[in-house]
Amino acid sequence: MSDEARQDIETHFSRFIDPDSPFPPDVLVELQSIQRQLSIEPYDLFLKWEAYSLKMGSEETKLVLETVRLFKEDLIESLPEQIRSKTSTRGVKTTNVGSTPRQMATTDDIYGMLDNLIPNTPRPPSTSTKRKAGLNTPATVVASTKATKGDFKTPNRPTSSTLNGTQSVAFTDRTNSGQIMEQLGTSIELPELPVAPFASSRLKLQLYTDVKKFSYRPMALHLSEASEILDNRITEFLDLLQDSPGFDPEALGDPCKRGTAPIITVGRIASDAASEKRLTEEGVLLETSMRVGAGFRIPIEFASNVRTEVFPGQIVALKGINASGAKFTVEEVVKLPELFSSASPIDALDVHNQRLRGEGDEDAMEIDSSNTLLATTTIIASGPYTADDNLDFEPLRVLIEKTQDLSADSLILTGPFLDIEHPLIASGDFDPPDGLDPDESTLTAIFKQLISGPLANLTAALPLLNLILIPSVRDACSQHVSWPQEQLAKKKLSLPRQSHCLPNPVTFSLNEVLFGISSQDIVNHLRLDLRAIPASARPMGDMPSRIIPHLISQRHFFPMFPPVPRDSLPRTGLDDGKGLATGPMLDTAYLKLGDWALGVKPDVLVLPSTIGAFAKIIQGVLTINPGSLSRRRGPGTYARLTVAPLVVTSEEREKGEDLPHRVFDRARVDIVRI
């Protein structure tokens, strides 16, 4: 391996090594071996290690020889069976020995029907290839747990001590509970606890998403509808570019036509090979709109001086030349028109500030930012809400206690609540909670007892709390199977009366603060398929700082199309940790519902993701990933958002203009371990 590749590995993985110690040579050799064996770049190997660390628990996964070897086994197991067999036998010399086959001592187990169900059951040899192929039980039916001598286990039922071959930590034995993992805006002080409860709610919820449009019938898509929806999105950005100040409409042209003069065109990034799971620089196509290029696709080549990043489904404006008629050479990436920041009239801000103080006199109009009692507290958490080896929902109960102790103004919960990827729910092999009849218990009844019940107790203790629930496509109790997704059935699930069940995605405001929330993990999808141009360029900044600007420029909660294939996503806890992820489940005909509402940037963008919790200010947008409240091997994190009131100065009041909210200047975010 070249010295450059070795240096790349050390550069990417050095953050996991003690700064005062040299890079362990045995670990370096093992990482080089993985790179050669799987034929991947050092940066891709680093991304896979990050995903593995998040899956196994980043605090427990250290970069030592033993964990790197386990990491290698996990990578090989995630490969398709044909590739895995070649990878595992690479470099091993095999010889065929002409031994005489022997018949098994007994043939009572016809066709191996008792295999893996009764210990020590012998399997007879196959006498016919066709018979074996025709009588094999599908893998989805046969239990994957192998019985050994003296050790019989119920198929597909995880034990309390181990799960998927990894040691599970009991929630009550967790360490560093309440530890702040990351902070943003520490200059904002935490609000004081009120001496007495407020007389009325200090936050007013205003919805800006048309909820009725989410009650569509899924899985009723026609190809003509999908084509029209995708084409309309290109046309919308084309109109935005034409209407932008200083743009010359005469510069627009068809990139598929041969010409010698530079033109500007708008289209969608696509891949040239359906078999390719990931976008490559050599396989980038530009899909034109019906209005400009009749929907044709053309290969694009980036000039050597162009530095950018692309992903499938991205709408781009490019300037270049098609001199040969076979490809479009990009000379410049044209910047798309930017969204404005959200703003409100001064009169509306006065009403919100008066609501914070709960007073009705004229003095309530004057707000003093030094009074920490006026700051609001919002708790944000994302599912799953219980570990993979039980359905106790202990993290959720602790979160409810924290919300009550802080006298929070609002609690935002995003799904999944009852996760269809949870091993116990997926297998159906678990005991119902106490108080439920096993013969009559359903997932809805379990939701009512384990989730609705504790939330009802919380709203009884905090009657002025804004309780907001947003579903996930992984929710077993959601009647909607696709994204964009209808809200949860509040009455059917017996959720508290003061709770707000909202669709996924959704845009709403709490007082003047504009929230944009989607439980779809777009951050992880873009992490897997975001390509730097040129490919040799080193990515600048961390992953959230690279991804969020694309969401802002695309004005959509899930701009990627098509999404990452399910077999490329992190494995679930099913089938001994090898289960396929649910995936985004996009309904193409209704992707318009994923657009950002109001045509402005949200003040707070909440994007739950598996890549690890973070809080960042990017292009004036406060972006929060609270992380999962419960991870596969142990407890997770949640976010505590503190927002100080917006002070209106006398000069601003005299001008009478709408004031930007500037939430990033007066907000504090704490990522807290549950």
Side-chain angles (χ1 to χ4, degrees), residues 278-462:
R278 305 185 69 176
L279 189 67
T280 60
E281 182 179 1
E282 296 77 14
V284 179
L285 299 180
L286 184 68
E287 179 181 335
T288 61
S289 65
M290 293 296 295
R291 192 170 79 185
V292 174
F296 284 106
R297 293 181 173 184
I298 186 169
I300 58 178
E301 182 182 68
F302 293 91
S304 58
N305 63 324
V306 176
R307 298 289 185 272
T308 187
E309 289 180 324
V310 296
F311 61 88
Q314 179 184 14
I315 306 299
V316 293
L318 305 175
K319 181 179 181 180
I321 299 175
N322 184 356
S324 63
K327 63 182 178 181
F328 185 73
T329 302
V330 178
E331 300 175 346
E332 179 186 351
V333 178
V334 180
K335 191 174 183 180
L336 295 171
E338 295 183 357
L339 287 171
F340 292 103
S341 298
S342 57
S344 296
I346 294 179
D347 293 342
L349 295 175
D350 287 339
V351 173
H352 296 319
N353 289 338
Q354 181 177 342
R355 187 181 297 111
L356 290 179
R357 297 189 60 172
E359 300 177 8
D361 57 352
E362 292 299 325
D363 293 337
M365 297 297 182
E366 299 298 332
I367 288 292
D368 183 5
S369 61
S370 63
N371 188 350
T372 59
L373 186 61
L374 299 179
T376 60
T377 300
T378 299
I379 304 297
I380 306 172
S382 176
Y385 294 95
T386 188
D388 272 11
D389 59 351
N390 65 74
L391 291 175
D392 296 335
F393 285 87
E394 295 172 299
L396 178 61
R397 294 203 298 268
V398 171
L399 180 71
I400 290 175
E401 294 175 2
K402 296 289 185 183
T403 305
Q404 185 173 346
D405 293 341
L406 293 172
S407 295
D409 297 281
S410 57
L411 172 62
I412 301 175
L413 302 177
T414 67
F417 296 96
L418 281 183
D419 190 0
I420 58 177
E421 293 183 1
H422 193 288
L424 298 180
I425 294 178
S427 65
D429 189 11
F430 61 91
D431 298 326
D434 296 336
L436 288 182
D437 186 355
D439 295 331
E440 298 179 358
S441 61
T442 62
L443 288 178
T444 300
I446 294 174
F447 187 101
K448 292 179 180 179
Q449 179 160 336
L450 298 180
I451 298 176
S452 299
L455 291 178
N457 296 334
L458 173 64
T459 55
L462 297 176

Side-chain angles (χ1 to χ4, degrees), residues 611-662:
I611 72 166
F614 62 82
K616 291 184 177 295
I617 299 173
I618 301 174
Q619 295 185 11
V621 178
L622 177 57
T623 308
I624 302 174
N625 169 24
S628 299
L629 192 67
S630 180
R631 296 179 301 185
R632 181 175 299 179
R633 293 185 58 191
T637 57
Y638 66 94
R640 181 176 63 205
L641 171 64
T642 304
V643 181
L646 178 58
V647 179
V648 183
T649 64
S650 56
E651 293 81 4
E652 292 171 335
R653 194 176 296 277
E654 290 178 0
K655 291 182 179 179
E657 299 177 353
D658 291 357
L659 289 185
H661 296 161
R662 302 191 303 269

Side-chain angles (χ1 to χ4, degrees), residues 26-95:
D26 53 350
V27 173
L28 179 60
V29 170
E30 193 67 27
L31 291 174
Q32 291 174 334
S33 174
I34 298 175
Q35 183 186 359
R36 288 193 303 268
Q37 203 164 2
L38 301 182
S39 300
I40 58 178
E41 295 297 325
Y43 182 69
D44 292 333
L45 181 63
F46 165 71
L47 294 180
K48 292 180 181 295
W49 168 259
E50 276 193 329
Y52 176 77
S53 299
L54 291 170
K55 181 178 71 173
M56 306 306 295
S58 57
E59 288 76 15
E60 294 84 0
T61 308
K62 307 298 182 183
L63 190 64
V64 295
L65 183 60
E66 181 181 358
T67 54
V68 172
R69 287 176 175 172
L70 293 175
F71 167 57
K72 180 179 180 180
E73 293 178 3
D74 183 80
L75 286 179
I76 295 177
E77 288 178 356
S78 64
L79 296 174
E81 183 177 355
Q82 297 85 351
I83 301 178
R84 184 167 64 247
S85 61
K86 295 179 181 179
T87 304
S88 59
T89 59
R90 186 177 295 176
V92 179
K93 184 178 181 180
T94 59
T95 56

Side-chain angles (χ1 to χ4, degrees), residues 164-186:
N164 303 332
T166 61
Q167 187 70 26
S168 180
V169 180
F171 183 78
T172 54
D173 297 334
R174 70 191 187 281
T175 58
N176 302 325
S177 176
Q179 178 184 5
I180 297 179
M181 308 299 296
E182 185 174 341
Q183 283 184 315
L184 182 66
T186 54

